[in-house]
Amino acid sequence: MLKQFISKTLLIHQNEQRETFYFLSLFILIGLAMGFGKGITETLFLTRFGIEYLPTMFMLTALGLLITGLVYGSIVDIVTPHRLMKILVVSTAAVIVGSWVLIQSMTLSLIYPALYLLQETTYDLFAVHLMFYVSQNLHLSQSKRLSPIILSGISIGSMMSGVGLGIGTLVLSLDNMLWLWVTALLSGALLVRYYHQKHGPSPFFHATKKGHYVADSLKNIKQGVSFTKRSPLLLSLCLTLFFTVIAYYTLKYLINLTFVTKVPSENTLAKVIGSVIAFNSIAGLFIQIFVTNRFFEKFGIRIVNLIFPLSMIASNAFFLLGLHIPTAFFGSFVRDTLMGAFRNPSYNLFFEALPPAMQGRSRSMTLMFVLPISLLCVGLLLHFMQQSETHLPITMIGVIATIFLFWFSVRTNKVYYDTLITTMSEATYLGKSDVSRLAKPTSAALNELKEGLQSDERHIVLYYARRLMKFAPDEASPAILHALNRQPNRIKIELAELLVVDRPEELNDALWQCFDNSTDHEEICAILHLLMDVEDPMVWKKAASWITQHETACAEGIRLRILIHENPADSAVQKSLELLLSASDPESTKVVLNTLLRHREVTPPASTIKQLMSPLEENVLSTLVLIRNIPDISSDSAILSMLEKRMETATFKVKLAIVEFLASFKTADANHLLYSIFEAHHQQNVRQLALCELHKNDQVPEDLFENLINDRVPFSAQQIILDSSEPFFSKDEIKSLVENRVNKASKLHTLQQQIESHADESLQYRLLSTLLEEQFRQSLDTCLAGLSLIENQKGINIVRAVLHSHDRQYSGLAFEALKNLNHTAISGSILKLLTSLLDPSGKQRHQNAISLDEAINWCMHNCSPWVKQCLSQAQDSNMIDFLEKTLLLKHSRLFGDIDTEDIQSIAEILVEDFYQEGDRIFDIGDTSDQCYIIQSGKIGISLHEAQDNKEFVAILEKGDYFGEMGILDNNLRKV
């Protein structure tokens, strides 16, 4: 009970307890080490050198950060965060031990400023890396709840170090207390090693390719600067950090000046500093545990982000009144407590809105670039200002810096939402480097396109050639012709097809060269067709000579083109067409259809319609284009029956082509078939196109909105209607629909919680639970689709795409983006429901449990017809095996994101196999004709052909799948 109470109070979900405890423990140890280092080194330095050398130390710290940041930036994207954590900790400990040895063996006073410099440098380095480390292990929605608690570990450690310093001064000299610093650091390194040995690496970290450290560091700086120019959020964060450092060290100077002038002895100063550290740590701990995360939840990150700047303004204003101990205490509270409680968590969360690939580089850039420059500036300012007889000039620097800090904090708030949307948009819709999306390619992008033409891979060459034709047609022909020379004939022919429209002079010569070098009949036919397309004068005689020596299907196509070239209206052409179309071989028919597509002046025979039922996709697509030229085709009722039958087995491309063909009819029967396609079980793009065509023809049923409200239209169809580029309903109707769906989603969610007390392995429970969760997700997506038509269409649609991806890291960004909308009460209700999706571990069991029969009865009266059908099937003993297969597919990693309704067509062909322990399912070199999903047990994947070898590269368990790659690439088994 106590554990649950603590977790509930601290907003820690059940499956996050171990992870939170680890990070909290690590931060306590690092906070303890940083507290020891800070107290010991500041006391040793200030008592021996005085306050007047602090500006010089600030400038040296800037140099130290530049060097340290250079090293850190070179490895932050290469080394895993936990390993880099160990490297930083152990290296720091080694330097401290070396310094202690030097202190004991010689009286070298420069050791003390060196230790102070080490503490200042590693303090900022640990602060940067700890934040990065957390971001690579928690997604954004977790970070908002847990990072204040985790960062409170620093306060706990600092508090413990303050107590330790106070007690330690009674029994140890300050130089011997350096071992306390070392012990805390090494304990942290051991904890990191133990945790990651047991739980694996950071889940959100993806290492880049290793290279030269200095070169990589310079590359990271360049990329960071370039990205800063493009990212308003990162630019604001850098400027905020710049003025934070100036304000922080100015305040620190004023606080230290106050303590040094008001507290005379070394031991008393150590006790005062220790007491201040202890008090601020206790206060910071309380605020971080009980206040910060609740502030984030209630007010949001943008309000929390302003607390620290406003407090800094107040602190500097108090110093304008004079150097007093209470003012120093308050300044210490702002610097040590409020900075850790509010500024650090919000700053870290802002970084998580940036693209994951840039987070490490952005942080390393601030360490290498922003921090050193800001420290250098503050050092120079303090160096010249301390010549003044009063503290007022230094205080004015602090006041000005805090005003700018507040200004750029406000600016950061303004660009936060746009950055969230941009990051999710790039991750969801754009590849990492997709020049095909450039409206006006730059010279660098054009060079990349041209370089792609030199590839040895066919699909890569064709991809870049098509992109070049689309985005730079003027430069495409010369580049593609140049690439023809080094490609094999097969690729040359496909590239030449792209150039037929432009007909460059060099194309004919290239095609004749291919003709002379080729021995493959199909290649030769393709070359002759292309030469005919470009109207080469020599081709007709050459083609007539070639077909006399070859009797193949492709040769018949050449013969037919010669006939058409001589006289398109000749009756011999129609007779030849009828004869060839009557052939049973689809490949022969394909030749005829392709010839007709090349000669649209020839009317296709009426028998061409029969090719709508051809097993070849290409033949059906060609037929749909050709039969539009047949007179009175739209009045032929038989063709609608044929198309309706064809839709049952058609491929995706054929279905789209049929919809476009039907839309051209503009008859009542064709519109009726279009609406039946929209309602039927087809791919979403097919149904969406059917509905859009109906909308263009003003043939949308009048009762469509009523059917939507009463769930007589499937969820997928509802989403299609709401996703349409042209709205079907008024804003008031859409608002009414969204409210209806919010209530429906809320009821589904409540029902889910109410039946959790009946959790078991029965088919009824598993089926009902799966259907409720899916209906809940679909209802929420419909809500968001409707909301996008009322509020921010682009932003919400990007959020929907991210939620569909089920990516934990980006889902946190999606939730944060929704929270930062200027949302209405409707979107606020949606946010509450989305919380259970993004943080499922935080769901609470509903107090009013109901029986399964009651839940099923509710669904039978309130859910869609398909859900009712599934629940009815669960009562039929003949359907149990089918439903078990459906649930197996739905809960597998391969098909888990597909709607259950769509999965059922796959379940119909699923075959169950049984294997005993030690059986070989397939071996290296076997034919790839099956994909497997594990229903129970474990499967080992081996790279060894020997059957007695038990070395496995992977162990797969229930829900995992294997064998899919062989089917996709049609190769033999490789494992």
Side-chain angles (χ1 to χ4, degrees):
M1 291 294 292
L2 179 62
K3 184 178 179 182
Q4 293 179 352
F5 173 76
I6 294 174
S7 297
K8 184 178 180 180
T9 303
L10 302 182
L11 305 181
I12 302 172
H13 295 166
Q14 188 173 358
N15 64 347
E16 299 169 342
Q17 293 171 355
R18 181 186 63 232
E19 194 173 30
T20 305
F21 178 75
Y22 159 69
F23 279 111
L24 180 62
S25 301
L26 175 63
F27 274 57
I28 288 173
L29 290 172
I30 298 299
L32 181 64
M34 292 164 68
F36 279 138
K38 182 178 180 181
I40 295 168
T41 57
E42 283 188 1
T43 303
L44 288 172
F45 175 79
L46 291 174
T47 55
R48 286 164 175 78
F49 288 84
I51 193 75
E52 61 272 14
Y53 284 95
L54 272 181
T56 303
M57 295 307 301
F58 291 162
M59 289 184 279
L60 290 174
T61 301
L63 179 62
L65 282 173
L66 180 63
I67 298 171
T68 305
L70 187 67
V71 178
Y72 177 74
S74 67
I75 60 179
V76 65
D77 287 323
I78 299 173
V79 182
T80 55
H82 70 275
R83 188 180 173 208
L84 184 54
M85 190 76 228
K86 291 187 292 184
I87 292 173
L88 295 177
V89 167
V90 173
S91 301
T92 303
V95 175
I96 298 169
V97 172
S99 300
W100 180 84
V101 172
L102 290 175
I103 290 174
Q104 301 303 313
S105 59
M106 60 182 68
T107 56
L108 185 63
S109 60
L110 290 179
I111 296 175
Y112 302 107
L115 276 172
Y116 180 88
L117 182 63
L118 174 69
Q119 184 273 136
E120 289 293 314
T121 305
T122 55
Y123 188 97
D124 289 319
L125 181 60
F126 282 139
V128 169
H129 187 67
L130 282 170
M131 290 180 177
F132 178 62
Y133 182 34
V134 171
S135 71
Q136 299 305 297
N137 287 272
L138 303 176
H139 58 72
L140 186 55
S141 58
Q142 285 180 308
S143 291
K144 285 186 69 176
R145 287 184 293 102
L146 303 180
S147 60
I149 299 168
I150 291 170
L151 288 171
S152 70
I154 298 292
S155 300
I156 297 173
S158 297
M159 178 181 64
M160 295 168 62
S161 68
V163 175
L165 283 172
I167 298 174
T169 53
L170 302 176
V171 294
L172 293 172
S173 61
L174 279 176
D175 51 358
N176 285 326
M177 290 178 66
L178 290 172
W179 284 102
L180 298 177
W181 189 4
V182 173
T183 304
L185 286 171
L186 295 180
S187 299
L190 291 173
L191 180 62
V192 172
R193 183 174 182 272
Y194 169 78
Y195 180 83
H196 285 281
Q197 276 186 340
K198 191 172 182 180
H199 301 290
S202 303
F204 300 136
F205 178 76
H206 302 285
T208 59
K209 186 177 179 181
K210 294 183 179 181
H212 192 274
Y213 281 167
V214 176
D216 282 348
S217 181
L218 295 174
K219 179 181 177 182
N220 287 344
I221 295 174
K222 182 179 178 180
Q223 289 178 339
V225 172
S226 176
F227 182 69
T228 302
K229 293 177 182 178
R230 302 194 312 271
S231 172
L233 178 62
L234 183 55
L235 179 61
S236 295
L237 287 173
C238 289
L239 291 170
T240 301
L241 177 62
F242 177 82
F243 289 107
T244 298
V245 172
I246 293 178
Y248 175 89
Y249 279 98
T250 303
L251 183 62
K252 182 176 181 178
Y253 181 89
L254 292 170
I255 293 168
N256 288 334
L257 179 63
T258 303
F259 284 144
V260 168
T261 55
K262 302 296 181 180
V263 182
S265 67
E266 179 179 302
N267 285 336
T268 304
L269 181 60
K271 291 178 182 178
V272 169
I273 292 176
S275 300
V276 169
I277 291 174
F279 173 80
N280 289 340
S281 299
I282 293 172
L285 178 63
F286 177 83
I287 294 173
Q288 286 175 292
I289 292 178
F290 298 105
V291 178
T292 305
N293 50 6
R294 285 169 172 78
F295 269 41
F296 276 128
E297 291 295 319
K298 185 173 183 179
F299 302 111
I301 185 174
R302 294 190 284 192
I303 296 297
V304 174
N305 184 47
L306 299 179
I307 295 176
F308 177 71
L310 290 172
S311 302
M312 288 288 285
I313 291 174
S315 180
N316 279 277
F318 289 146
F319 270 111
L320 286 174
L321 302 177
L323 297 176
H324 305 294
I325 291 294
T327 304
F329 281 154
F330 178 75
S332 298
F333 176 78
V334 172
R335 183 193 66 178
D336 299 331
T337 303
L338 297 186
M339 186 171 185
F342 296 114
R343 183 265 180 190
N344 291 345
S346 59
Y347 186 76
N348 186 44
L349 291 173
F350 280 129
F351 265 102
E352 292 191 37
L354 299 172
M358 289 303 302
Q359 287 185 22
R361 301 176 189 185
S362 300
R363 293 174 193 270
S364 66
M365 192 200 72
T366 60
L367 190 64
M368 289 182 285
F369 188 66
V370 181
L371 280 175
I373 291 178
S374 56
L375 281 173
L376 185 62
C377 289
V378 75
L380 289 172
L381 286 171
L382 291 177
H383 177 75
F384 289 109
M385 291 296 179
Q386 70 179 357
Q387 307 299 326
S388 174
E389 296 181 357
T390 68
H391 69 284
L392 290 179
I394 296 176
T395 307
M396 287 305 302
I397 294 174
V399 171
I400 295 171
T402 52
I403 292 173
F404 276 105
L405 170 59
F406 177 77
W407 172 264
F408 284 109
S409 296
V410 172
R411 176 182 167 82
T412 300
N413 290 346
K414 289 181 179 179
V415 298
Y416 177 54
Y417 172 78
D418 291 336
T419 303
L420 285 169
I421 296 299
T422 301
T423 299
M424 290 187 292
S425 175
E426 291 174 352
T428 308
Y429 297 115
L430 301 178
K432 292 181 180 177
S433 177
D434 191 354
V435 294
S436 70
R437 295 183 181 271
L438 293 174
K440 295 181 179 180
T442 61
S443 58
L446 285 173
N447 290 335
E448 183 180 341
L449 289 170
K450 293 175 182 178
E451 289 173 7
L453 296 176
Q454 309 304 316
S455 172
D456 296 326
E457 297 289 336
R458 169 183 167 275
H459 67 282
I460 294 177
V461 173
L462 294 175
Y463 173 83
Y464 280 102
R466 293 188 182 106
R467 299 285 78 74
L468 198 57
M469 288 291 292
K470 181 176 181 180
F471 294 104
D474 295 339
E475 300 189 39
S477 294
I480 295 174
L481 280 169
H482 178 72
L484 282 173
N485 299 326
R486 65 182 303 276
Q487 298 295 345
N489 278 354
R490 181 168 58 90
I491 300 180
K492 280 183 180 179
I493 293 168
E494 293 183 271
L495 289 175
E497 289 176 350
L498 300 175
L499 299 175
V500 166
V501 177
D502 291 341
R503 300 186 182 184
E505 296 179 1
E506 299 89 344
L507 180 59
N508 294 36
D509 295 336
L511 288 172
W512 281 120
Q513 185 180 1
C514 290
F515 180 85
D516 295 334
N517 295 334
S518 180
T519 57
D520 183 85
H521 289 176
E522 290 189 5
E523 278 188 5
I524 292 173
C525 284
I527 294 167
L528 289 173
H529 277 301
L530 288 172
L531 286 166
M532 291 177 182
D533 291 340
V534 297
E535 300 178 355
D536 187 277
M538 299 171 53
V539 68
W540 304 108
K541 184 177 180 181
K542 194 78 171 178
S545 172
W546 184 81
I547 61 175
T548 59
Q549 305 170 26
H550 301 88
E551 294 292 335
T552 62
C554 61
E556 288 298 326
I558 298 295
R559 182 177 288 107
L560 183 59
R561 290 200 70 175
I562 294 174
L563 279 175
I564 295 172
H565 174 72
E566 292 173 351
N567 186 3
D570 192 345
S571 59
V573 173
Q574 287 295 321
K575 288 181 181 179
S576 181
L577 287 172
E578 291 282 3
L579 180 64
L580 291 172
L581 285 172
S582 64
S584 58
D585 180 18
E587 290 294 335
S588 299
T589 310
K590 175 182 173 181
V591 171
V592 181
L593 295 173
N594 286 339
T595 301
L596 286 170
L597 287 174
R598 282 183 159 99
H599 295 276
R600 301 297 294 276
E601 71 274 12
V602 178
T603 303
S607 59
T608 307
I609 296 175
K610 296 179 181 179
Q611 298 306 316
L612 289 174
M613 307 308 292
S614 172
L616 283 183
E617 177 188 89
E618 188 174 344
N619 285 2
V620 181
L621 294 173
S622 300
T623 302
L624 287 168
V625 175
L626 291 170
I627 62 177
R628 296 189 187 198
N629 294 341
I630 297 178
D632 301 323
I633 187 67
S634 60
S635 60
D636 189 349
S637 58
I639 194 172
L640 293 180
S641 300
M642 192 179 293
L643 290 172
E644 184 176 12
K645 185 177 180 180
R646 183 64 201 180
M647 283 293 294
E648 297 175 2
T649 58
T651 62
F652 176 68
K653 285 184 179 180
V654 170
K655 287 179 179 179
L656 290 176
I658 290 174
V659 170
E660 291 176 346
F661 180 77
L662 287 170
S664 67
F665 277 29
K666 297 184 179 180
T667 63
D669 289 338
N671 289 332
H672 179 74
L673 182 53
L674 279 173
Y675 191 71
S676 66
I677 290 173
F678 163 68
E679 289 191 312
H681 188 64
H682 296 299
Q683 291 96 330
Q684 183 165 332
N685 287 13
V686 175
R687 298 161 73 181
Q688 186 168 11
L689 180 61
L691 189 65
C692 289
E693 295 296 347
L694 284 169
H695 194 37
K696 288 178 184 177
N697 297 339
D698 293 325
Q699 294 296 322
V700 177
E702 294 180 0
D703 60 349
L704 182 59
F705 181 76
E706 182 182 350
N707 289 338
L708 281 175
I709 289 289
N710 296 314
D711 272 341
R712 290 196 289 267
V713 178
F715 274 115
S716 55
Q718 295 177 26
Q719 293 162 1
I720 289 169
I721 294 169
L722 294 172
D723 286 337
S724 175
S725 58
E726 297 182 15
F728 284 73
F729 312 115
S730 66
K731 283 196 173 183
D732 288 338
E733 287 178 318
I734 293 171
K735 185 177 180 180
S736 175
L737 176 62
V738 172
E739 289 175 345
N740 177 275
R741 285 291 160 266
V742 168
N743 293 333
K744 181 70 175 291
S746 180
K747 290 177 182 177
L748 288 167
H749 180 55
T750 301
L751 197 62
Q752 270 186 294
Q753 294 177 313
Q754 287 177 326
I755 67 168
E756 284 184 357
S757 60
H758 304 284
D760 55 35
E761 291 301 315
S762 68
L763 175 63
Q764 271 193 329
Y765 171 77
R766 289 183 289 118
L767 179 63
L768 181 60
S769 179
T770 300
L771 293 176
L772 285 175
E773 181 179 357
E774 185 172 89
Q775 293 276 295
F776 174 58
R777 286 179 177 272
Q778 290 173 338
S779 293
L780 276 179
D781 190 58
T782 305
C783 293
L784 289 172
L787 189 65
S788 69
L789 300 177
I790 303 173
E791 298 196 13
N792 185 322
Q793 185 168 22
K794 177 185 176 182
I796 294 179
N797 283 336
I798 291 172
V799 166
R800 289 176 61 205
V802 169
L803 294 176
H804 288 165
S805 72
H806 299 291
D807 185 289
R808 289 178 63 223
Q809 190 173 18
Y810 284 104
S811 292
L813 297 182
F815 187 70
E816 183 66 15
L818 284 174
K819 289 198 71 172
N820 283 275
L821 277 176
N822 295 319
H823 54 267
T824 62
I826 296 176
S827 55
S829 301
I830 295 173
L831 278 172
K832 293 178 182 178
L833 294 172
L834 276 173
T835 305
S836 62
L837 280 182
L838 301 179
D839 287 316
S841 58
K843 291 192 295 185
Q844 301 295 324
R845 179 168 293 181
H846 202 278
Q847 295 179 351
N848 300 321
I850 63 173
S851 66
L852 287 179
D853 290 338
E854 289 176 306
I856 292 173
N857 183 60
W858 185 90
C859 291
M860 294 298 286
H861 287 86
N862 296 279
C863 289
S864 64
W866 177 79
V867 172
K868 298 174 186 177
Q869 176 187 331
C870 285
L871 294 175
S872 298
Q873 288 174 343
Q875 308 296 326
D876 185 352
S877 58
N878 296 324
M879 298 297 297
I880 291 177
D881 184 58
F882 171 72
L883 292 174
E884 288 285 6
K885 290 178 179 179
T886 301
L887 290 175
L888 172 65
L889 291 170
K890 180 61 181 176
H891 295 151
S892 69
R893 293 173 176 83
L894 184 59
F895 298 101
D897 294 338
I898 302 176
D899 290 345
T900 307
E901 187 175 358
D902 297 325
I903 283 177
Q904 288 196 337
S905 60
I906 306 172
E908 293 174 354
I909 61 172
L910 199 65
V911 177
E912 191 171 17
D913 282 344
F914 296 90
Y915 297 92
Q916 300 295 324
E917 184 176 353
D919 287 351
R920 302 278 282 198
I921 298 176
F922 56 74
D923 289 292
I924 296 174
D926 286 355
T927 303
S928 303
D929 58 355
Q930 288 181 322
C931 172
Y932 298 86
I933 299 173
I934 302 173
Q935 185 174 19
S936 63
K938 295 182 180 181
I939 297 295
I941 303 297
S942 174
L943 298 176
H944 301 283
E945 295 188 29
Q947 298 216 6
D948 57 345
N949 192 304
K950 300 297 183 182
E951 289 186 29
F952 300 123
V953 294
I955 301 292
L956 306 180
E957 299 179 343
K958 180 178 179 180
D960 288 328
Y961 59 92
F962 60 97
E964 78 288 351
M965 291 307 299
I967 296 176
L968 295 175
D969 58 22
N970 202 28
N971 290 329
L972 299 178
R973 301 291 190 191
K974 298 178 182 178
V975 295

